[in-house]
Amino acid sequence: MQHPAAPLATQAPADKPAGEARLDLATRAAELGFWEWNLLDNSFVYSPRAREICGLPQDDAPLRLEQLQALTHPEDMPRTHAMLLRAIDPDIRERLPYEYRVVHPDGEIRWVVANGEATFAAVDGVTRAVRYVGTLQDATESHQLRRALETTETRLHLAVEAGRMAVWEADLREDAIAGSPELNRLLGFPEDARPTVDQIRAGYAPGERERLQACMRDAVARGDRFVETEMRYRYPGGEPRWLLLRAEIQLDDGEPARAVGVLMDITDRRRAEEALRASEARLQLAQRVGHIGVWEWELPSGDARWSREMYLLFGLDPDAGITPEQAWLAGVFPEDRIAVDEAVRRSTEGGQPVDVEFRIRAHGETRWLRSKGTPVTTPDGRARMIGVNQDVTSTHRQKLALEDRNRALQEEAVQIGRERERLFELSRDMFGVVGFDGYLRAANPAWTRILGYDTHSLLARPFLELIDPQDRPAARSAMAGLKRGNVAAPFESRMPCDHGGWRWIAWTAVAEDELIYTVGRDVTHEKLAAHELEAANRQLRNQIEGRERVEATLRQMQRLEAVGQLTSGVAHDFNNLLTIVLGNLDLVDMTVDDPKVRRRLDLMRQAALRGATLTSQLLAFSRRQRLEPKVIDLNGTVQGMSELLRSTMGGSIAVSARLQPDLWSALVDPTQIELVILNLAINARDAMPTGGSLAIETANVTLAESQGLPGEPEPGDYVAIAVIDTGTGMSEEVLARVFEPFFTTKGAGKGSGLGLPQVFGFAQQSGGGMRIESRPGMGTTVCVYLPRAHAGSVADPPAPDTRRRDGASPQRRVALLVDDDNAVRDITAARLRQLGFEVLEAGSGGAALDLLDRNAQVDLLVADFAMPGMNGVEVAQQARTRRPELPVLFVTGYADQTALAGVSEERVVQKPFRDDELERKVRMVAGV
């Protein structure tokens, strides 16, 4: 933005009027700065406070436009500049405050709020802005407070979510429960549900309600108002959960009246406790099976207790009456006993665990035991050590065997090193070691034989300098990947020779310990031979591929250009015309009682609707239609169409449905999916001229990987619907072209060639895909994959309650309608008046905003999207700046579905209006 800050004067005169003095006092108290911009001579004036806010020197030096532009933060410049242009535009004259950042010369960033108003006058016969005057206020602290508040609210929400906690309140006398939305989630109900007390108690385990009531009575009897207990609960779907209930009981006349508290899901904790108990049981079993001895030693008395397994480890009979001290002195090697005693002494003094190994003599042989113990203190203050002993003789024997093996391997490694050294010296390939600093650390003699450089010259230069400059980027990228720990793919590079010329070297490399080990093979002769062979064939191959590419591209461009121009150029105007036709037909139909005339009106309406369907088919193929995806049950959709399908197929075709139970919900446009099923069924009927059978199947499908074929969906979960016929089938040539627009095998006038392309476009736009299997004479299976609706998907919103309360008088509601097409606007206004609105009509965005400024009550803005000048979205944005809570509804016949991509489905009505769509969405958006 060009900075809009400039004071009117640096100091008020001493004899200024009282009104101006009070104004100065108010502005100083509010810490406001004044600014003025003279647009005739492009001069600026700032007050001292404005200079202070902007970080400018406190002097009378003239200010330049470039100096002021440099103050605005670069990220805020486009937005503030656009608002400035609207403020000085004679046709707009916007007076909105705008908040942005200024950057002081010392780098400090401050948030400021500018309010300004432009003065307009005729200059050379043209009305233009001559002065732009306003105030400037430092808003840094308020901005920081807002950010801190938003952060605090976010953290609080995360804490509640992480703790899986819900707040509730119960009226014990009225037997009613109320809670936060988290209570529904905690009890297994939808967030927007309002479960009754009976529905909640249905999840109690048998006897749980009585136990909770007894807990409350006992607490009251003890004079305690707080209750905490764990309870079992079962979700409506059957999943068992454990909940922790904490409540405060409020008394009325000595009797419990209300209870307020929280509910927490402790299922994971209970499961962990149960797992711990099971783990302890398994540990005890493992000790018995694994012959692990457990011991306790009481300090300082020296009294010890051994488990039965301890005696067995020492080769003694547990029932022989031998004390642990006797067994210890008789079995442990004397030199090891001293080491164990010293380790135990250090452990008890330092309070640290002990881990020591020692030898014993048992069963006539030497055994190794490993002892682990931990010092503990009993509640009465006595010191003890508890631990386990385990026989690790086999481990020691394996260790000795491993040491012998390591010595043998070391000898083998020395021999291999000598062999590798000879290979390094004699190899015809270039062996090298490159440090992460880019310099060669070692190079074998093959470098000198191939490139001519001596070893000293090679080690004194970075490795990349030895590579031709054109090939250095690939080598540099490979080295960077090796430094990051990645595996480098083999690469080739040219290397100049010391004696002139160059050689092609094919490299492989690996990195280890900040060193890169490389092997380079001279492939110059192979490269030259391949280059000559490629040059010999390149011209012919290029001619053939070029001709095929040009022909294929031309055909594709012609098809896509035809469809693209048709959909983009015709859809908007055609939908507007159909809106006028259908709207007027509805209005005329209300005034006609003659059955013959009404029948002709119905014929006209059906023809107009077929035109709308044709437009929808064209948009479906080009993927420019606007879909309204909803969570639907495909089994219900198929069942609801059964009668229509049977009547469409005729008596010679048997229709059946094979619907999968527990079918996932699909997230698709309900109207379009019905057209898809009907379209595929009609194609199947045409492929069975002498009769046959048609089956419709549904299934849950999980694709693990993509097949890479045209129309195939990406990996994921899908709800599949398949149409299977026993008709003539398709050849491979026809199957390869089924998705091409206007391609058909039917006779002239019997098919448009848009059927399967329309289905394909709808499936891909919905996030799915298609698969077709067919053989001549064997029938055809067309499977459409539709996205699965996961948890959290939005289903059809409930229709707003439009019934008027008893005794309530109708409320006056005003709608502002803007559409540049007079006929369409007339029809839309008539529909809105039928819904009880008073309608303000405007033919452009500017006129609509002017009506909005001049009318205090506007309850709904209905805007056409495609209009000259300001489109509907821009009008809505301007209207929202004036009235942030104003509901907005868009009507559009525009072909490109991305035009309103940021607007929710319930706020868009597609032309032409069908059935009660306009009424439903007006009531939904306006809340009437």
Side-chain angles (χ1 to χ4, degrees):
M1 168 184 171
Q2 297 177 357
H3 204 282
L8 295 174
T10 58
Q11 185 176 2
D15 57 351
K16 63 171 57 180
E20 295 185 9
R22 287 193 296 272
L23 178 61
D24 285 345
L25 179 60
T27 55
R28 286 197 301 273
E31 296 186 342
L32 289 176
F34 285 93
W35 50 268
E36 178 181 359
W37 178 14
N38 189 328
L39 281 83
L40 297 178
D41 58 8
N42 205 28
S43 62
F44 298 85
V45 181
Y46 281 70
S47 69
R49 176 55 182 162
R51 288 177 176 267
E52 179 184 353
I53 291 173
C54 298
L56 293 170
Q58 293 291 333
D59 53 31
D60 296 330
L63 300 175
R64 304 184 309 277
L65 177 60
E66 297 78 5
Q67 181 181 3
L68 300 180
Q69 288 176 326
L71 293 173
T72 303
H73 195 284
E75 295 179 1
D76 297 340
M77 178 68 74
R79 173 176 56 84
T80 54
H81 182 68
M83 298 182 71
L84 172 64
L85 294 180
R86 291 195 295 272
I88 63 176
D89 189 330
D91 296 329
I92 301 177
R93 304 191 183 193
E94 187 173 86
R95 293 182 294 175
L96 297 176
Y98 39 97
E99 189 176 54
Y100 62 98
R101 290 167 288 181
V102 297
V103 182
H104 288 190
D106 59 0
E108 181 184 5
I109 298 176
R110 306 291 295 177
W111 282 91
V112 299
V113 176
N115 284 273
E117 180 176 358
T119 303
F120 297 87
V123 179
D124 296 331
V126 178
T127 300
R128 56 170 292 189
V130 295
R131 294 174 67 247
Y132 192 27
V133 181
T135 63
L136 201 66
Q137 185 175 15
D138 191 322
T140 304
E141 293 184 359
S142 62
H143 182 81
Q144 292 173 346
L145 289 174
R146 289 199 307 270
R147 294 294 298 272
L149 179 60
E150 293 172 357
T151 303
T152 301
E153 292 177 348
T154 302
R155 289 174 178 171
L156 178 59
H157 179 73
L158 291 176
V160 173
E161 287 291 332
R164 296 180 60 80
M165 181 186 302
V167 181
W168 58 271
E169 179 179 352
D171 188 330
L172 302 180
R173 293 180 173 178
E174 297 295 334
D175 200 18
I177 298 177
S180 61
E182 289 79 8
L183 181 63
N184 285 353
R185 174 178 57 79
L186 208 60
L187 298 181
F189 295 99
E191 290 188 4
D192 57 351
R194 293 186 177 179
T196 63
V197 174
D198 292 337
Q199 289 175 326
I200 293 176
R201 288 175 178 164
Y204 287 2
E208 199 69 24
R209 179 186 177 187
E210 292 76 8
R211 188 182 66 83
L212 293 176
Q213 292 174 342
C215 288
M216 289 189 180
R217 288 195 300 269
D218 293 344
V220 173
R222 294 193 308 268
D224 190 357
R225 293 187 302 141
F226 296 94
V227 175
E228 179 175 331
T229 183
E230 296 180 1
M231 58 180 290
R232 293 169 295 168
Y233 192 82
R234 185 174 296 275
Y235 278 2
E239 181 183 358
R241 309 295 293 180
W242 276 95
L243 304 178
L244 175 63
L245 181 144
R246 293 174 178 168
E248 178 185 1
I249 304 173
Q250 299 178 1
L251 305 179
D252 188 0
D253 294 333
E255 295 295 329
R258 296 175 63 252
V260 180
V262 296
L263 204 63
M264 298 177 62
D265 191 325
I266 60 170
T267 305
D268 294 339
R269 192 192 75 186
R270 290 293 299 241
R271 291 173 178 171
E273 293 173 352
E274 293 174 359
L276 178 59
R277 288 192 291 271
S279 177
E280 292 175 349
R282 289 193 295 269
L283 177 60
Q284 294 177 359
L285 178 62
Q287 289 178 355
R288 291 195 297 270
V289 175
H291 302 290
I292 298 175
V294 180
W295 53 267
E296 294 185 21
W297 187 14
E298 187 172 325
L299 304 174
S301 65
D303 294 338
R305 287 187 294 276
W306 281 12
S307 67
R308 295 182 62 85
E309 286 76 16
M310 277 288 294
Y311 284 99
L312 296 176
L313 287 176
F314 276 72
L316 302 174
D317 183 0
D319 301 322
I322 303 174
T323 66
E325 182 179 5
Q326 294 171 338
W328 177 262
L329 294 175
V332 180
F333 279 48
E335 58 269 31
D336 291 354
R337 188 166 59 245
I338 296 173
V340 172
D341 291 341
E342 179 63 20
V344 172
R345 184 187 64 78
R346 292 194 303 268
S347 174
T348 55
E349 291 177 354
Q352 299 296 323
V354 65
D355 188 348
V356 64
E357 294 183 357
F358 57 89
R359 292 167 294 170
I360 66 171
R361 188 167 300 278
H363 303 293
E365 64 174 346
T366 300
R367 309 289 297 180
W368 280 91
L369 298 184
R370 184 174 187 181
S371 182
K372 291 185 177 182
T374 302
V376 297
T377 303
T378 62
D380 57 2
R382 291 183 299 170
R384 288 194 307 164
M385 181 169 285
I386 302 175
V388 297
N389 283 3
Q390 185 177 14
D391 191 326
V392 293
T393 305
S394 60
T395 303
H396 269 270
R397 291 172 179 172
Q398 293 173 1
K399 180 179 179 181
L400 293 176
L402 182 60
E403 291 175 352
D404 293 339
R405 177 59 179 165
N406 286 339
R407 284 192 293 270
L409 290 176
Q410 289 176 357
E411 295 177 358
E412 292 179 6
V414 172
Q415 181 63 26
I416 292 174
R418 296 192 189 100
E419 295 175 355
R420 289 181 176 177
E421 185 68 25
R422 289 194 294 272
L423 178 63
F424 186 80
E425 295 292 333
L426 301 177
S427 175
R428 300 180 62 182
D429 292 336
M430 299 164 57
F431 287 17
V433 180
V434 183
F436 277 9
D437 58 359
Y439 282 86
L440 274 169
R441 302 292 177 84
N444 68 337
W447 288 70
T448 302
R449 289 195 298 269
I450 295 174
L451 302 179
Y453 302 104
D454 58 47
T455 303
H456 178 75
S457 300
L458 290 169
L459 300 182
R461 300 171 59 186
F463 173 68
L464 291 177
E465 289 188 3
L466 299 171
I467 296 177
D468 187 275
Q470 297 183 9
D471 299 332
R472 287 178 187 172
R476 185 179 293 109
S477 176
M479 291 183 65
L482 289 167
K483 292 178 182 179
R484 293 192 298 268
N486 299 332
V487 177
F491 65 95
E492 297 178 350
S493 64
R494 288 164 292 184
M495 303 189 72
C497 301
D498 185 44
H499 47 70
W502 49 268
R503 309 296 294 177
W504 273 101
I505 308 297
W507 296 98
T508 55
V510 295
E512 183 178 352
D513 296 333
E514 297 188 356
L515 294 175
I516 300 175
Y517 297 88
T518 65
V519 178
R521 173 162 296 181
D522 188 347
V523 293
T524 306
H525 296 296
E526 292 88 338
K527 293 287 290 186
L528 292 176
H531 179 73
E532 292 175 357
L533 180 61
E534 178 64 20
N537 296 327
R538 185 180 299 115
Q539 184 175 6
L540 180 60
R541 185 173 60 249
N542 288 343
Q543 290 177 352
I544 296 174
E545 292 178 354
R547 180 181 295 273
E548 292 176 350
R549 186 167 53 253
V550 169
E551 291 177 352
T553 301
L554 180 60
R555 289 194 299 269
Q556 185 68 9
M557 289 178 62
Q558 289 173 342
R559 288 193 296 268
L560 295 181
E561 180 67 15
V563 175
Q565 290 180 356
L566 180 62
T567 56
S568 299
V570 174
H572 177 261
D573 293 337
F574 195 31
N575 283 332
N576 275 344
L577 293 175
L578 290 174
T579 300
I580 298 171
V581 173
L582 288 171
N584 282 288
L585 285 174
D586 290 339
L587 295 176
V588 173
D589 190 33
M590 297 177 185
T591 62
V592 174
D593 296 329
D594 189 342
K596 294 182 179 180
V597 177
R598 294 178 68 89
R599 185 173 63 84
R600 293 188 179 276
L601 290 175
D602 288 339
L603 293 175
M604 295 168 65
R605 184 180 294 105
Q606 293 174 11
L609 290 175
R610 284 198 297 270
T613 302
L614 177 60
T615 303
S616 177
Q617 289 178 331
L618 293 174
L619 295 178
F621 161 69
S622 61
R623 284 177 272 172
R624 300 185 181 186
Q625 63 179 351
R626 182 180 181 88
L627 299 180
E628 295 185 11
K630 296 179 175 62
V631 178
I632 66 169
D633 177 14
L634 282 183
N635 284 347
T637 301
V638 174
Q639 291 171 347
M641 297 180 63
S642 58
E643 294 298 328
L644 174 62
L645 292 174
R646 288 188 177 90
S647 63
T648 303
M649 295 298 100
S652 61
I653 298 177
V655 180
S656 63
R658 297 191 285 268
L659 308 179
Q660 176 174 328
D662 301 325
L663 186 69
W664 296 333
S665 297
L667 187 63
V668 292
D669 188 320
T671 303
Q672 294 295 330
I673 190 58
E674 292 179 357
L675 294 177
V676 164
I677 297 173
L678 185 60
N679 199 332
L680 295 177
I682 292 174
N683 279 353
R685 179 197 65 187
D686 295 341
M688 298 182 288
T690 59
S693 63
L694 174 72
I696 300 179
E697 294 183 354
T698 59
N700 299 327
V701 178
T702 298
L703 300 180
E705 58 183 8
S706 176
Q707 302 297 322
L709 300 176
E712 292 280 354
E714 295 295 327
D717 292 338
Y718 297 93
V719 184
I721 181 167
V723 177
I724 307 168
D725 67 64
T726 59
T728 56
M730 292 181 282
S731 64
E732 292 184 1
E733 293 78 12
V734 173
L735 194 60
R737 301 183 60 190
V738 291
F739 295 140
E740 294 184 9
F742 306 116
F743 172 77
T744 179
T745 59
K746 301 176 183 178
K750 296 184 179 181
S752 64
L754 287 175
L756 286 176
Q758 175 192 359
V759 177
F760 172 68
F762 165 77
Q764 285 209 323
Q765 187 180 352
S766 299
M770 286 183 64
R771 180 180 294 170
I772 300 180
E773 298 178 0
S774 182
R775 292 177 60 187
M778 301 297 292
T780 300
T781 298
V782 181
C783 188
V784 181
Y785 297 88
L786 301 171
R788 176 187 179 182
H790 294 281
S793 300
V794 179
D796 287 331
D801 186 6
T802 60
R803 295 172 296 178
R804 193 185 314 160
R805 302 179 183 271
D806 294 337
S809 60
Q811 183 181 4
R812 176 179 178 269
R813 303 185 70 85
V814 179
L816 175 57
L817 171 64
V818 52
D819 196 315
D820 62 309
D821 191 310
N822 295 334
V824 174
R825 189 172 67 250
D826 181 70
I827 291 299
T828 309
R831 292 284 185 91
L832 291 173
R833 292 188 181 96
Q834 290 177 350
L835 298 178
F837 283 88
E838 297 180 16
V839 182
L840 303 176
E841 299 184 36
S844 65
L849 295 176
D850 183 64
L851 285 174
L852 185 63
D853 291 337
R854 291 189 288 106
N855 288 271
Q857 179 183 359
V858 174
D859 303 296
L860 174 65
L861 172 61
V862 181
D864 182 30
F865 170 74
M867 295 186 297
M870 299 173 65
N871 61 33
V873 173
E874 294 171 339
V875 173
Q877 291 173 346
Q878 292 292 328
R880 282 288 181 87
T881 61
R882 292 164 166 80
R883 302 187 187 181
E885 302 300 327
L886 179 63
V888 180
L889 184 67
F890 297 95
V891 292
T892 179
Y894 197 57
D896 190 358
Q897 63 148 349
T898 62
L900 291 170
V903 182
S904 59
E905 299 293 342
E906 65 268 20
R907 297 184 180 275
V908 179
V909 179
Q910 189 72 35
K911 297 177 184 178
F913 309 142
R914 299 186 181 182
D915 300 326
D916 61 342
E917 182 182 14
L918 179 63
E919 177 181 355
R920 178 174 60 83
K921 292 195 174 181
V922 165
R923 295 188 183 281
M924 183 182 301
V925 172
V928 299

